[in-house]
Amino acid sequence: GSAGVCPYSDLYDPAFEQGDRLNTPLMDVHFYHAPEWTVMNAYRYENHPYHTKVFLGEYATLDDTWFNALAEAAFMTGLERAAGVALACYAPLFNNVKYTDWKPDMINYDGRTSYGTPSYYVQRLFSRNQGTSLLGTSDDVARGPRSQWSARGNASLNIINAPFTVSQLTITDLDHDGAVLQRESNVELTPDGVIKLPLNLGGTEHFRIDLDFTAHEKLDPESSGTDVTIRFAETGSDDYVALAINSWWGRMLTLRTYQHGKESYYSATHVNYAAETTHRALLEFDHGTVSLVMDGNPIFSETLLPYEPDDLYYSAVRDEDDTVTVKLVNVTDTPSDVRLTFDHEVKATYSIEHMDGFALDARNDLDHPALVSSSERTEHARIDAASTSALDYRVPAHAVHVLKFRLV
């Protein structure tokens, strides 16, 4: 089955509910999001409520740097630990560097040679070390509480393709007894004239935007443009929150965050707003939670996740030959000291395949095909004994380490 085009689509839960009714074994899910969102959603499938399992048929983090691969590694530890996830595929796979029209891709090539991106080497690490069974684990890794996504920054109402009339717009500060911050009426926005209306949020973290608008042309369903977008929390041209009406070929209402220019979806709802019809939007931001009511109908209420990663992401598996594999991912900028304890003795000599020591913006290319790649070494947990049940281990900053032990 298919659960639509993103994990926050209004088709997502109904698709899995139908999958359960029909005993569908797998449900295909796609997403391409910012690396920050991907890290913060590492445990998204930890409590998957459906019998139909997840098949991540396409996913990636919208660039091919070491940071992107690192974020994907953290996310993949969560996939390995989640019983509700059956399969996962990085996508797309191949790209001809002379005809690139999508980024990222796992393997790039020209007419003579090829190279893998940092994500390729992370995928290879995980695919070579999948194990045959998941091991039960416990930890004391702190997971929160999280900060609230701040509304600080600029705000504006923007149009792209279709002329709009804003018949009324009112912004109120709900932290200060509903004080009116801005009021507008009969504002004309046109693609060949005024396309941006600045909004005054007054620095509040709890506001409501009450907007009545009319589109004077129906967006062409074959286009990929957007009729109208409300931006806020805009701290730079590449960092903001956006509510877009009639995006995705004129058929979707979306809530997205942009971090360093990379988008992440929090809601995607099918809509069909008619031209020359006045619609009302009530957008509320409440200390990090965004909710929307359109024409009297509640559409979504979503809490945005600032980038505050855990100190460690990990998974542990076992193979039929009694090999225990522990994957450790540190996305932070400080080393993480880890103590591993085992219920059964393991040999003191163990192997490590690792990726670390790279700049976060490092990437491979035709001239440097393995600048970011994995290395292997052997370590000894104890030099005075052949086996051990515990190991103190330091994971460097910005690192993926795969440790392989043999049970005694």
Side-chain angles (χ1 to χ4, degrees):
S2 175
V5 289
C6 90
Y8 283 103
S9 167
D10 56 346
L11 298 179
Y12 185 86
D13 287 323
F16 275 96
E17 291 165 1
Q18 182 175 359
D20 279 2
R21 290 194 298 270
L22 299 177
N23 295 318
T24 304
L26 296 175
M27 193 66 65
D28 188 18
V29 180
H30 297 182
F31 73 81
Y32 297 95
H33 282 176
E36 292 87 351
W37 181 97
T38 304
V39 171
M40 297 305 295
N41 281 270
Y43 307 113
R44 173 177 173 79
Y45 298 106
E46 192 171 48
N47 297 306
H48 183 64
Y50 304 104
H51 296 296
T52 297
K53 292 193 174 185
V54 176
F55 167 36
L56 285 179
E58 296 182 24
Y59 76 95
T61 60
L62 296 175
D63 208 343
D64 59 6
T65 70
W66 169 230
F67 179 51
N68 294 89
L70 190 61
E72 291 156 5
F75 184 75
M76 291 166 69
T77 63
L79 298 183
E80 279 199 349
R81 292 169 56 173
V85 177
L87 298 166
C89 296
Y90 183 98
L93 181 59
F94 291 115
N95 170 58
N96 186 333
V97 297
K98 297 180 180 180
Y99 303 97
T100 298
D101 67 354
W102 172 266
K103 193 174 184 178
D105 303 272
M106 188 190 291
I107 297 171
N108 294 308
Y109 65 93
D110 60 8
R112 298 179 179 180
T113 187
S114 64
Y115 69 90
T117 65
S119 294
Y120 164 81
Y121 286 98
V122 163
Q123 294 290 328
R124 190 175 71 166
L125 268 182
F126 275 70
S127 66
R128 286 178 171 180
N129 298 285
Q130 293 185 65
T132 54
S133 59
L134 180 70
L135 292 179
T137 57
S138 62
D139 64 73
D140 59 0
V141 178
R143 296 188 176 91
R146 306 295 183 192
S147 299
Q148 298 170 344
W149 193 292
S150 175
R152 67 180 182 276
N154 297 324
S156 59
L157 188 150
N158 309 266
I159 66 152
I160 298 178
N161 288 311
F164 263 72
T165 297
V166 176
S167 50
Q168 77 84 26
L169 179 146
T170 304
I171 302 176
T172 53
D173 183 349
L174 300 180
D175 271 340
H176 294 87
D177 300 322
V180 175
L181 299 171
Q182 183 176 353
R183 200 186 300 274
E184 307 282 350
S185 61
N186 299 318
V187 178
E188 300 292 335
L189 300 173
T190 60
D192 57 352
V194 178
I195 60 173
K196 181 175 180 178
L197 175 63
L199 303 179
N200 175 27
L201 302 181
T204 181
E205 295 292 336
H206 190 190
F207 62 84
R208 179 183 295 139
I209 299 175
D210 185 345
L211 171 68
D212 290 351
F213 66 92
T214 305
H216 298 298
E217 293 177 11
K218 176 60 181 173
L219 189 64
D220 180 1
E222 297 304 316
S223 78
S224 58
T226 297
D227 282 357
V228 61
T229 300
I230 297 175
R231 287 190 183 189
F232 62 95
E234 186 172 4
T235 56
S237 60
D238 291 335
D239 296 272
Y240 56 91
V241 180
L243 170 70
I245 299 171
N246 281 16
S247 62
W248 278 3
W249 309 286
R251 294 192 293 267
M252 298 295 287
L253 186 153
T254 61
L255 174 68
R256 288 172 281 182
T257 59
Y258 286 80
Q259 294 167 286
H260 308 293
K262 303 298 186 286
E263 67 183 3
S264 300
Y265 283 84
Y266 280 82
S267 181
T269 305
H270 287 76
V271 295
N272 185 17
Y273 294 120
E276 302 302 338
T277 300
T278 299
H279 299 282
R280 166 164 283 191
L282 290 174
L283 174 67
E284 184 172 330
F285 182 84
D286 184 2
H287 299 87
T289 297
V290 186
S291 57
L292 178 72
V293 176
M294 289 292 299
D295 297 330
N297 299 311
I299 303 298
F300 63 73
S301 180
E302 299 290 347
T303 299
L304 307 180
L305 295 175
Y307 183 58
E308 296 176 348
D310 294 343
D311 291 337
L312 185 73
Y313 297 86
Y314 72 90
S315 63
V317 296
R318 178 176 173 173
D319 280 297
E320 292 176 346
D321 65 354
D322 287 338
T323 298
V324 172
T325 302
V326 181
K327 302 180 183 72
L328 304 173
V329 180
N330 180 7
V331 303
T332 72
D333 56 7
T334 57
S336 183
D337 291 316
V338 179
R339 182 170 180 82
L340 302 175
T341 58
F342 302 89
D343 289 345
H344 301 280
E345 291 273 312
V346 296
K347 291 184 178 180
T349 300
Y350 62 98
S351 64
I352 306 166
E353 192 169 2
H354 61 99
M355 297 179 68
D356 53 55
F358 313 115
L360 289 178
D361 60 355
R363 64 182 86 226
N364 298 334
D365 56 34
L366 290 171
D367 295 324
H368 308 90
L371 176 67
V372 180
S373 57
S374 60
S375 302
E376 297 184 49
R377 69 174 190 263
T378 300
E379 293 282 357
H380 304 278
R382 296 180 61 181
I383 59 175
D384 58 344
S387 64
T388 185
S389 61
L391 169 68
D392 290 318
Y393 191 82
R394 169 162 283 197
V395 187
H398 307 143
V400 180
H401 283 212
V402 178
L403 283 55
K404 301 192 77 167
F405 303 89
R406 291 297 301 270
L407 289 172
V408 175

